[in-house]
Amino acid sequence: MSQTIDFKEVMAKTALITGITGQDGSYLAELLLGKGYEVHGVVRRSSTMNRGRIDQPEYTGDADGLGTTRLLEAIRTMGLPTRFYQASTSEMFGLSPAPQSETTSFHPRSPYAVAKLYAHWMTVNYREAHNLFACSGILFNHESPRRGENFVTRKVTRGIGQILAGKADKLRLGNMDAKRDWGHARDYVEAMWLMLQQDQADDYVIATGEMRSVRDFVAAAFAMVSLDWQKYVIVDEAYMRPADVHELRGDASKATKLLGWKPKTTFDELVREMLEHDLDAEGVDPAQHLVRD
């Protein structure tokens, strides 16, 4: 007795997430599991803090650029109905003036941004040349307690936890004048899912539309524990980028109009959530140190 398999029905609730143990991957996995998906994940073999390979421009291009191309080509040759989401980044805009939207020109300023731009345009190419459902989310900075400790926002909240725990007395940072558009990763993965539910694949900027400097983030975080940040923060030239991006602020009006997406978490809520996590992780009771709303 023969049986015909409807691959579209089988795959409708199956998802493959690359980097599933990272910030976005973990939030996305939770979202999809809650929606009844069967979720599979891909991780790097090593999860240690040895960053010797990933700090090299060649490895960044291979993983972030060519890695995307390999996935797109696998989808094309396999021929099964698949919807592909590419994690693009606001870093691709670089020096382009804010606010940045889907029509803003790109000017990447780092090997990472260049590799991501390559992956972004390959996604567009496969969509147009091979009629794949391939979309890109141009996500502006999105943070959470799960953000990597090498990112400035976690350096700040973790550093405050260490100061209050008596494990450190200073926090060393780089460019305090860099301005970013900060949202919560939990809100942003919802936008990823919404992109994949549309009839036609397209690219969307995902952002809050609000821009603050690193100094603003630092001041807000220290104020929440009643500390004067100027007594603890040291600007260290070692943390300065050779070619920095000065201002990133996204215009997400397209996503609001077509996807019905809006950020749910305010800036202060984001900072407080990260502080609660990092104070607790350092053995500091958040209830005793965080200023009440």
Side-chain angles (χ1 to χ4, degrees):
M1 180 178 179
S2 62
Q3 182 179 7
T4 302
I5 299 176
D6 186 342
F7 282 103
K8 185 174 183 180
E9 181 178 345
V10 171
M11 299 176 64
K13 286 288 187 177
T14 302
L16 173 65
I17 303 174
T18 61
I20 195 170
T21 58
Q23 171 186 252
D24 292 7
S26 62
Y27 278 115
L28 182 58
E30 291 172 3
L31 175 71
L32 296 180
L33 287 169
K35 293 181 180 295
Y37 283 73
E38 177 181 324
V39 177
H40 301 263
V42 176
V43 297
R44 281 199 299 264
R45 179 174 298 177
S46 173
S47 60
T48 67
M49 288 300 290
N50 179 6
R51 301 173 61 230
R53 287 188 304 125
I54 62 175
D55 279 340
Q56 298 170 10
E58 183 179 351
Y59 180 82
T60 299
D62 187 46
D64 291 329
L66 292 177
T68 297
T69 305
R70 295 180 187 113
L71 288 171
L72 288 165
E73 183 62 12
I75 293 170
R76 185 189 70 80
T77 56
M78 186 171 58
L80 298 178
T82 304
R83 295 196 168 200
F84 178 82
Y85 170 82
Q86 160 61 17
S88 292
T89 171
S90 59
E91 290 290 321
M92 301 186 307
F93 291 119
L95 290 181
S96 296
Q100 295 98 359
S101 71
E102 295 83 0
T103 60
T104 302
S105 60
F106 297 117
H107 191 148
R109 298 269 283 170
S110 68
Y112 168 76
V114 172
K116 280 291 191 179
L117 184 55
Y118 174 89
H120 177 83
W121 281 118
M122 287 303 290
T123 301
V124 173
N125 181 258
Y126 270 77
R127 180 171 70 224
E128 296 178 351
H130 304 295
N131 199 33
L132 297 188
F133 191 105
C135 60
S136 293
I138 307 175
L139 272 56
F140 281 65
N141 292 65
H142 46 292
E143 319 297 315
S144 76
R146 303 178 190 179
R147 189 60 144 153
E149 294 177 2
N150 56 314
F151 288 88
V152 67
T153 52
R154 279 299 308 284
K155 285 183 180 179
V156 173
T157 56
R158 186 167 177 260
I160 291 174
Q162 291 175 335
I163 289 170
L164 290 175
K167 300 176 184 178
D169 55 6
K170 298 295 180 182
L171 174 61
R172 296 180 179 275
L173 299 173
N175 183 7
M176 299 281 284
D177 296 318
K179 296 178 180 180
R180 295 292 184 269
D181 183 330
W182 278 300
H184 199 300
R186 184 174 51 236
D187 297 341
Y188 285 37
V189 299
E190 183 180 5
M192 299 177 191
W193 180 78
L194 287 170
M195 292 178 209
L196 293 167
Q197 310 313 304
Q198 305 306 302
D199 293 333
Q200 299 293 326
D202 206 346
D203 306 321
Y204 299 87
V205 161
I206 303 299
T208 70
E210 299 177 1
M211 184 168 63
R212 293 176 173 85
S213 67
V214 173
R215 182 179 287 99
D216 293 333
F217 189 100
V218 169
F222 273 85
M224 287 183 184
V225 292
S226 300
L227 292 179
D228 180 357
W229 68 269
Q230 297 182 76
K231 295 180 180 179
Y232 299 94
V233 175
I234 297 174
V235 176
D236 191 334
E237 292 293 328
Y239 293 102
M240 297 291 188
R241 292 181 178 183
D244 210 346
V245 175
H246 305 300
E247 296 185 351
L248 292 176
R249 177 166 65 91
D251 175 2
S253 56
K254 178 179 176 181
T256 299
K257 179 180 179 180
L258 300 182
L259 304 180
W261 179 86
K262 288 184 178 180
K264 300 174 182 177
T265 310
T266 67
F267 175 77
D268 286 342
E269 289 170 344
L270 169 64
V271 177
R272 178 172 292 271
E273 183 180 333
M274 294 177 68
L275 272 173
E276 287 179 348
H277 174 274
D278 282 334
L279 264 60
D280 185 67
E282 296 297 335
V284 177
D285 184 1
Q288 294 185 6
H289 291 276
L290 275 172
V291 177
R292 294 183 180 181
D293 293 331

